[in-house]
Amino acid sequence: MAVAASVVVAVGAITGMVSALDDRSGSDEAGPPRVTRSPSLESLPLLPSASPSVTKSPSPTSASPTRPREKATPTPSPPRAERKQSTAVVSSRLYRHPDSQVLEWVRDNPADPRHAVIASRIAAQPAAVWFADYTPDTITARVRAVTSGGSALGRVPVVVPYAIPDRDCGGYSEGGAPGLDAYDDWIDRFAAGLGTGDVIVVLEPDSVAQAECLSEGARADRFASLARAGRVLKAANPKARVYYDAGHSGWNTPAKQAEWLRQAGAASTASSDGVFSNVSNFHTTSGEIAYDRQVLDALGGPASLGAVIDTSRNGAGAPADGEWCDPSGRKLGRAPTLATGESRIDAYLWVKLPGESDGCKGRPGTFTASYAYELAR
């Protein structure tokens, strides 16, 4: 599964200055690797100041996940209209968490010529908050810090539990809970932090689409644990919308993906509100819409099941060579929104925060300004 990359927009007046600003600059990366987080929606100005006097909430996680995905047949480049889709308008309902690497970079680098572009095109957008480290003692408080922040503003946070055992099949983002019993307990504690307000849960990227590496028995056990996870999350907060891993349009066939999703509980409203696709990938929005509808049709279940799509860096489509690691020539996709205007497509989300490297143009999981700037111009 290809890891999500950074995205940034360039301003014409400073385009010529980018070549002099590479990753060797001490100001290009923000802090140690951390998981995808997003800026606060209303508590911060468009161009945040460098004086964060507010006490930060507990950090959601310590490292941004880097997951090399299946090399898949790339989708065609999007139509011209899609490539020009504006990312300037922020949804009035999605939440931007105030603790993020991009905000840290913006605060620390006010004189950088890329500052205005990164601040307005990335830091101004809501994005998901990942919980990728197995820390059962603190997970409830960390999730609650995000969900309560969203509730206080009347916004919808997007949270990503990412601790399934044997995640990434031993790849770059290997790790997670030591076993399924431990994972079940971790999910119970995660659910306890969801609160009572609206929240979107993107449940375990890769956990279904990348299950090929597991034995048949281990796969069945994982799927049973995922089905339980969905039930626990929705029981803890009936307003939580839980979405299951559908991979992306260049990976498994809709029929195969739907069969696995059904085993994982995605067809039951007791555990699921539908599926998600394209997390950390580049396939076009139009391609993902068509694919997700095929998956949902094959999945069955009630018509209320929908899909959410990661549009954080799919504005130029997937690379022709299938490259997943910080590929050049990619662009920001559509702005995050809960109003897609498409049947059965519930949201366009930035699940992977643009600007956080896959590991090729910066340290894995670290916000890398040069790559973010390249993606956004």
Side-chain angles (χ1 to χ4, degrees), residues 175-194:
L180 287 175
D181 288 344
Y183 178 74
D184 291 347
D185 177 68
W186 186 84
I187 280 291
D188 290 346
R189 298 180 186 218
F190 187 102
L194 288 179

Side-chain angles (χ1 to χ4, degrees), residues 24 37 46 61 66 103 105 133 152 157 159 165 173 246 270 273 280 282 302 327 331:
R24 290 171 294 180
R37 296 191 297 275
L46 188 60
T61 186
T66 297
L103 268 180
W105 185 91
D133 51 344
V159 295
S173 288
D273 291 279
S280 302
F282 310 91
K331 300 296 178 185

Side-chain angles (χ1 to χ4, degrees), residues 12-377:
I14 57 177
T15 299
M17 305 176 69
V18 177
S19 60
L21 300 166
D22 61 25
D23 291 332
R24 290 171 294 180
S25 169
S27 66
D28 204 52
E29 292 186 350
R34 289 201 303 251
V35 108
T36 300
R37 296 191 297 275
S38 63
S40 166
L41 181 60
E42 297 191 353
S43 61
L44 295 165
L46 188 60
L47 303 180
S49 68
S51 56
S53 58
V54 179
T55 301
K56 288 186 178 181
S57 57
S59 176
T61 186
S62 59
S64 188
T66 297
R67 307 179 307 281
R69 296 187 187 170
E70 293 269 321
K71 287 230 177 190
T73 304
T75 55
S77 294
R80 191 175 187 85
E82 182 168 319
R83 292 200 301 270
K84 288 188 175 182
Q85 185 79 21
S86 171
T87 59
V89 178
V90 177
S91 165
S92 62
R93 294 193 61 212
L94 288 166
Y95 175 61
R96 296 181 297 168
H97 187 54
D99 182 17
S100 71
Q101 292 188 71
V102 61
L103 268 180
E104 181 180 332
W105 185 91
V106 166
R107 289 168 179 146
D108 291 346
N109 297 276
D112 192 294
R114 301 163 295 188
H115 180 279
V117 169
I118 292 173
S120 62
R121 298 297 300 276
I122 296 179
Q125 297 289 353
V129 182
W130 289 70
F131 299 86
D133 51 344
Y134 177 70
T135 52
D137 291 342
T138 61
I139 189 64
T140 301
R142 289 160 50 222
V143 174
R144 184 178 294 125
V146 176
T147 57
S148 62
S151 292
L153 294 176
R155 311 298 182 188
V156 182
V158 179
V159 295
V160 186
Y162 187 62
I164 197 77
D166 300 315
R167 71 182 185 204
D168 198 31
C169 294
Y172 283 16
S173 288
E174 63 182 340
L180 287 175
D181 288 344
Y183 178 74
D184 291 347
D185 177 68
W186 186 84
I187 280 291
D188 290 346
R189 298 180 186 218
F190 187 102
L194 288 179
T196 59
D198 292 327
V199 58
I200 292 172
V201 183
V202 175
L203 180 62
E204 296 293 343
D206 296 346
S207 61
V208 178
Q210 201 180 29
E212 194 78 67
C213 67
L214 302 175
S215 68
E216 185 175 349
R219 189 158 54 238
D221 289 344
R222 173 184 284 190
F223 291 165
S225 190
L226 287 170
R228 177 192 181 276
R231 293 193 300 270
V232 167
L233 294 165
K234 291 186 71 64
N237 179 357
K239 288 187 176 181
R241 297 185 62 81
V242 179
Y243 294 89
Y244 280 73
D245 172 37
H248 57 69
S249 57
W251 203 339
N252 297 321
T253 66
K256 177 179 180 178
Q257 192 65 36
E259 175 56 32
W260 281 358
L261 283 163
R262 192 177 301 109
Q263 295 175 40
S268 169
T269 55
S271 53
S272 170
D273 291 279
V275 303
F276 64 83
S277 72
N278 210 42
V279 167
S280 302
N281 221 293
F282 310 91
H283 295 272
T284 63
T285 302
S286 57
E288 291 304 298
I289 290 172
Y291 172 73
D292 289 343
R293 286 173 176 163
Q294 290 178 313
V295 170
L296 289 169
D297 286 345
L299 178 62
S304 61
L305 296 180
V308 299
I309 298 170
D310 187 352
T311 60
S312 60
R313 59 179 187 175
N314 71 344
D321 60 1
E323 178 57 60
W324 62 266
C325 187
D326 298 338
S328 297
R330 303 310 99 202
K331 300 296 178 185
L332 288 172
R334 299 189 183 192
T337 181
L338 299 177
T340 69
E342 296 282 352
S343 64
R344 305 204 80 177
I345 307 300
D346 296 343
Y348 301 138
L349 305 174
W350 281 12
V351 181
K352 176 70 174 183
L353 184 63
E356 294 186 2
S357 175
D358 299 336
C360 292
K361 295 190 176 182
R363 290 177 294 153
T366 302
F367 180 80
T368 306
S370 57
Y371 184 43
Y373 187 82
E374 173 190 335
L375 287 162
R377 58 185 175 170

